[in-house]
Amino acid sequence: MNLNALEMVAQIALIIGVPFVLGIWAARRFPEIAAKAQPWVKNGSLVALLIFIVAGVSGNASYFVDYIGVVLLAVFLHDTVALALGYFCGAVTGLNEYSRRAVSFEVGIRNAGLGLGLVFTFFDGLGGMAVVAGWWGIWDIIAGLALATIWSKRRARKAVPA
């Protein structure tokens, strides 16, 4: 398999960088409009991600059916380890509870849209890769919402001084 690194960087910049820069620019240039648009953009981006994930998984449904057990287990274990690693790295470095939680999400939640985009652009939509990236997106939403709900009901503990 031969990958063009510059092409991949450009693709990542388009998928992640351009919307990020445009969002920051719009929020600074037009704060009132950005504030009104924020709920629509947030919900619209979630719907777009879900459509992208469903398209990726449904287009490779046979792989999903054939490898569902392995995919579910691998994604679950990977997410669990990544979320815990982020949280405990924050604890070891003396971060307060809210920062630990933020680091946990930063380490544990991946960008499934980016993953699917790269799979379809550089790997010809290889079925197994698309199924894993698609399921990661679905599982990240489930695990992220569950963990956020649990943490929203628990008061943050004070960090132990380093």
Side-chain angles (χ1 to χ4, degrees):
M1 188 166 290
N2 187 14
L3 295 176
N4 182 326
L6 289 177
E7 190 179 342
M8 188 175 278
V9 169
Q11 184 79 16
I12 292 169
L14 284 173
I15 294 172
I16 301 291
V18 171
F20 182 76
V21 169
L22 287 175
I24 290 175
W25 174 80
R28 288 193 176 165
R29 180 82 167 99
F30 309 104
E32 299 84 19
I33 295 171
K36 289 178 184 174
Q38 193 269 341
W40 292 95
V41 171
K42 182 175 82 173
N43 293 331
S45 64
L46 179 61
V47 169
L49 174 64
L50 289 173
I51 290 170
F52 196 43
I53 290 169
V54 168
V57 172
S58 66
N60 296 287
S62 65
Y63 290 102
F64 188 72
V65 171
D66 291 344
Y67 299 102
I68 188 168
V70 173
V71 170
L72 295 180
L73 181 63
V75 169
F76 172 79
L77 290 174
H78 188 278
D79 261 19
T80 302
V81 169
L83 288 165
L85 183 65
Y87 184 86
F88 290 114
C89 284
V92 168
T93 58
L95 295 177
N96 66 42
E97 180 71 12
Y98 291 115
S99 295
R100 291 178 197 175
R101 293 174 182 183
V103 171
S104 181
F105 280 117
E106 285 298 322
V107 172
I109 304 295
R110 277 142 316 281
N111 189 325
L114 174 61
L116 282 169
L118 295 175
V119 167
F120 288 118
T121 301
F122 295 100
F123 301 100
D124 297 322
L126 287 174
M129 294 173 78
V131 167
V132 171
W135 180 247
W136 247 319
I138 294 166
W139 184 251
D140 279 347
I141 292 168
I142 294 167
L145 287 173
L147 191 54
T149 300
I150 291 167
W151 279 342
S152 73
K153 297 180 185 316
R154 280 188 32 214
R155 289 188 62 135
R157 298 176 304 218
K158 295 194 179 211
V160 178

